[in-house]
Amino acid sequence: MEISSGSSVEVLEGSNCTLQCTVDSNPLSNLTWIRGENSLIESVRSSKSLELIFPNVTSRDDGAYHCEAVNEHGQEKDLIKVIVEYPPRTPQIKVENVTTPGINENINVTTPDWSGKQENISIKKVLEGRSVNIHCSVDSSPLSNLTWIKGEKTILGKENIDKLTISISNVAFENEGQYWCVAKNKHGLANSSVFISVERKYVIFWKPV
């Protein structure tokens, strides 16, 4: 491609990508691809063009790249931004105000129809009557549509975000169950779950005298 100022290119993670810098000058220029303060590749001789090749793009390749052209009459530099896109990573769930640390049980469960994969259940115990926040965060590019699902019911959903929180102000036994956080963008889908176990504060039994 011929680089123009402020241009950008979207590349899918794992694919191949070639950036080509072309320059019109007389005499021919010495060309260099630069990222930050590091020179990545230089032309071995004066040339009209220079390629920067990415054989297997990763998220680390995301960023701004400059092509610099120098000859005896001056210097020019231009920029292109590489935007690396990828499907959602596994969502991370954090539960606040639990009564005991989470326990990883070796219980395999199958997700609803939107995935079909199996995973271990993470159990969090919450005291009845307390407030609790269930946070879900995900890394993806572009940003994901996030959805919280309990059973077959969608509780909360928002588009183009990286975090989504369910807040329950007064935990009751009907809040007990398995909660799924589902992340989806145009490149794929990922999900995680947590089981909220509601514990009773106390029970009073009246015994006639």
Side-chain angles (χ1 to χ4, degrees), residues 59-190:
S59 57
R60 294 188 298 272
D61 298 318
D62 190 280
Y65 295 80
H66 291 86
C67 179
E68 182 180 73
V70 180
N71 70 8
E72 61 191 77
H73 300 299
Q75 172 183 318
E76 289 290 340
K77 182 187 292 187
D78 219 337
L79 174 147
I80 186 169
K81 185 175 181 180
V82 175
I83 302 171
V84 179
E85 297 193 344
Y86 48 90
R89 314 301 194 199
T90 301
Q92 302 299 306
I93 296 177
K94 180 181 178 182
V95 183
E96 292 180 337
N97 292 343
V98 297
T99 57
T100 59
I103 305 170
N104 290 321
E105 301 284 356
N106 292 321
I107 305 174
N108 281 328
V109 294
T110 302
T111 67
D113 291 340
W114 30 259
S115 173
K117 77 169 187 177
Q118 289 192 334
E119 64 172 35
N120 291 334
I121 299 175
S122 175
I123 299 175
K124 301 291 186 180
K125 296 180 180 181
V126 181
L127 194 62
E128 179 189 23
R130 280 193 178 184
S131 61
V132 65
N133 294 317
I134 312 174
H135 306 283
C136 176
S137 59
V138 66
D139 177 25
S140 64
S141 179
L143 292 173
S144 292
N145 298 335
L146 288 181
T147 307
W148 274 109
I149 298 173
K150 182 175 183 283
E152 297 181 356
K153 181 181 178 182
T154 297
I155 300 173
L156 184 64
K158 290 187 179 180
E159 297 182 351
N160 301 321
I161 56 174
D162 58 6
K163 297 178 182 178
L164 187 62
T165 297
I166 302 172
S167 296
I168 305 173
S169 59
N170 189 10
V171 173
F173 279 96
E174 56 262 31
N175 300 124
E176 184 169 277
Q178 191 167 5
Y179 294 76
W180 294 95
C181 178
V182 183
K184 184 177 182 180
N185 69 10
K186 64 182 179 180
H187 299 299
L189 176 150

Side-chain angles (χ1 to χ4, degrees), residues 181-202:
C181 178
V182 183
K184 184 177 182 180
N185 69 10
K186 64 182 179 180
H187 299 299
L189 176 150
N191 59 78
S192 292
S193 73
V194 63
F195 190 93
I196 300 298
S197 175
V198 179
E199 296 192 331
R200 190 182 295 274
K201 292 181 180 179
Y202 50 78

Side-chain angles (χ1 to χ4, degrees), residues 22-31 46-48 69-76:
T22 58
V23 178
D24 180 20
S25 64
N26 187 19
L28 295 174
S29 296
N30 296 323
L31 304 179
S46 297
S47 176
K48 289 184 177 181
V70 180
N71 70 8
E72 61 191 77
H73 300 299
Q75 172 183 318
E76 289 290 340

